[in-house]
Amino acid sequence: MKSSITLFLVNAVFFVIVAVVYGFFTDFTEMVGFPALLLTGVMSGMIGVYLWLTDRRVGRQPQDSEQAEISDADADYGFFSPWSWWPIACAGSAAVAFYGIAMGWWIFPFGAVLGLVSLVGLSYEHDRGDHAH
């Protein structure tokens, strides 16, 4: 976590400096780049401070040690199905729904229905067939 804290705080300082320099070059008249760069620096600083406060509260993490093994991290990342086609169906239905929002609202319900079907399929894929528990 120490490297993440350093990375975010260095990014915060960098983006604030770049925002000020950019503001001087544009005489602070360009109202997209300067605020965007400044907010990027501020948000990066917020993440860095949050990680710093969390690190003080939690203590030493396995990723901070050079001798740590991958198995030292005790988090369970879940169970994923490498053979599943349902995530592709979810992504396709989201693409249809977003296309409907952009091009015509009459397309959106088709994407929403496909999304519900693919989400139910993704949720219940291990409840039947060869992979039932």
Side-chain angles (χ1 to χ4, degrees), residues 57-79:
R57 184 177 41 112
V58 172
R60 188 161 176 87
Q61 297 291 312
Q63 61 263 28
D64 293 331
S65 174
E66 293 287 333
Q67 289 80 25
E69 296 290 328
I70 294 175
S71 61
D72 291 341
D74 59 343
D76 183 18
Y77 295 114
F79 175 75

Side-chain angles (χ1 to χ4, degrees), residues 1-2 5 48-61 64:
M1 192 174 304
K2 302 280 187 203
I5 295 168
V49 169
Y50 170 76
L51 290 176
W52 175 65
L53 292 173
T54 302
D55 184 55
R56 281 188 10 192
R57 184 177 41 112
V58 172
R60 188 161 176 87
Q61 297 291 312
D64 293 331

